[in-house]
Amino acid sequence: MPEAGYYCSKKTDDICEDVCGEQTSRAALSMSRLRCALRGFDLKAFLLLFMGVPVLVFIIYLHGQKISYFLRPIWESPPKPFHTIPHYYHPNVSMERLCRLHGWGMRDTPRRVFDAVLFSNELDMLEIRWHELSPYVSEFVLLESNSTFTGLWKPFVFAGNRNRFKFVESRLTYGTIGGRFVTGENPFVEESYQRVSLDRLIRIAGIEDDDLLIMSDVDEIPSGHTIDLLRWCDEIPEKLHLQLRNYLYSFEFYLDDKSWRASVHRYQAGKTRYAHFRQTDDLFADSGWHCSFCFRRISQFVFKMKAYSHVDRVRFAYYLNPSRIQDVICRGADLFDMLPEEHTFQEIIAKLGPIPSLYSAVHLPSYILQSVDRHRYLLPGNCKRESG
């Protein structure tokens, strides 16, 4: 007889029936009831779930950013296409003919040109940029802060190396600004604060209506002939983004031609504001070079990785390991181990893996070749960097 108060269903399995049919201790009955309750439960499935969930969480922790970027075409639509304006140039064609080819007239005198940048520590890139633009720029404007966008203290690097840029001293408006050093703030807030300050410095430099203003980062270098064309031609657009050839680490690793944030403006007092986002649909084709993370020393790579607005990409401390950074540079791989930032699966798949090496140093900023002993690290076949 089963113990009083214990109900045994006819549908239970043999184990349950045996328990119900025998006089057993209360402890044994309790364990048997648990076994009855777990009747039909798949132990293998339980173990798979118990082990699989933590493994899945760990994989997402390691590669969640990659998964997110790969699925980007699903959750983010591509931006509106630019209206690309063809660019015509040859050194043996007259300026008047070039202006007419673009559908523009030619001025009697060229516009004044102001080149304005925020500066961090890119001394070599700044020197290459200013040598490229020097024949065409009326005033160079540079603002330097003692704070990175992420709120880290930094010295005034340009001030300590100003003698290196004597060739533009008579045309230089230089300003400094103290950092706010707000802990935990979005880096783009500090970046915006510095760009607003640069806007004021441009006005101090004496810019006037219809002068040309170049807005771009130091490593976004417009070609000299592009700026020369725009200062001489009449009826050009009031705002014009520049399509730049996109390089990574040096001019050995050509990424694509999708760099567009650099822009040229016909200045209008009270209306023109210094910015680094999309301001028009017009894009002037093949107008220069963007050499991102093109540094001489490994220490400069580490500094920028910790200092610029996308610091969230440094997800693990080993990303900053000097030997890893050197290996990544020579392979043309991604410093942050990220997938391509594209909006279609076709483009993402096409760019997977390291960037193939180029062996051409044709159509680069001329000063690199003029000072090749100092800037050889930017040319193909020279991926090794100094430690710093």
Side-chain angles (χ1 to χ4, degrees), residues 115-340:
D115 180 41
V117 295
L118 287 176
F119 182 78
S120 178
N121 67 339
E122 314 96 322
L123 289 168
D124 284 357
M125 278 291 109
L126 183 67
E127 186 176 34
I128 292 167
R129 176 194 184 95
W130 281 1
H131 273 284
E132 177 71 19
L133 297 177
S134 182
Y136 317 106
V137 169
S138 308
E139 190 73 15
F140 293 95
V141 184
L142 184 145
L143 179 68
E144 183 174 24
S145 174
N146 65 344
S147 169
T148 68
F149 293 157
T150 55
L152 300 176
W153 179 88
K154 61 174 282 294
F156 289 116
V157 177
F158 180 84
N161 293 271
R162 191 162 178 169
N163 287 340
R164 184 171 168 179
F165 300 91
K166 286 184 177 180
F167 66 98
V168 301
E169 185 64 41
S170 63
R171 296 175 285 157
L172 174 61
T173 300
Y174 171 60
T176 60
I177 183 173
R180 298 177 305 122
F181 302 104
V182 179
T183 304
E185 185 178 62
N186 188 317
F188 288 101
V189 176
E190 176 66 26
E191 180 178 348
S192 177
Y193 166 71
Q194 293 187 24
R195 293 193 189 279
V196 169
S197 300
L198 179 56
D199 204 35
R200 292 195 291 268
L201 188 62
I202 292 167
R203 294 195 295 272
I204 293 172
I207 197 167
E208 297 176 355
D209 284 356
D210 206 43
D211 288 341
L212 286 187
L213 173 61
I214 304 171
M215 301 183 188
S216 69
D217 288 347
V218 170
D219 58 6
E220 297 168 337
I221 306 174
S223 61
H225 68 79
T226 296
I227 301 305
D228 196 28
L229 177 75
L230 296 175
R231 72 182 186 133
W232 272 105
C233 294
D234 212 355
E235 303 159 7
I236 65 172
E238 291 185 2
K239 301 176 184 178
L240 194 60
H241 280 290
L242 303 180
Q243 181 189 51
L244 307 180
R245 301 179 187 182
N246 215 2
Y247 295 87
L248 193 61
Y249 311 139
S250 72
F251 291 96
E252 177 175 349
F253 299 107
Y254 173 71
L255 188 59
D256 55 35
D257 61 357
K258 293 185 177 182
S259 178
W260 54 264
R261 291 185 179 275
S263 60
V264 175
H265 299 244
R266 291 167 55 188
Y267 188 82
Q268 298 181 54
K271 184 176 180 181
T272 304
R273 293 288 181 269
Y274 195 96
H276 199 235
F277 49 76
R278 183 165 176 168
Q279 302 177 70
T280 179
D281 292 336
D282 291 327
L283 180 69
F284 199 35
D286 200 5
S287 297
W289 312 269
H290 181 189
C291 200
S292 185
F293 281 90
C294 292
F295 297 120
R296 180 188 300 274
R297 300 177 180 86
I298 296 294
S299 59
Q300 293 173 293
F301 285 83
V302 174
F303 176 80
K304 181 168 181 177
M305 291 171 74
K306 296 190 296 184
Y308 86 140
S309 298
H310 296 286
V311 67
D312 58 298
R313 295 178 178 179
V314 185
R315 301 179 61 241
F316 306 104
Y318 79 89
Y319 281 8
L320 303 176
N321 183 285
S323 60
R324 174 191 176 271
I325 292 174
Q326 179 62 81
D327 176 67
V328 166
I329 295 169
C330 286
R331 290 190 295 111
D334 191 274
L335 279 172
F336 305 101
D337 197 25
M338 292 173 55
L339 291 182

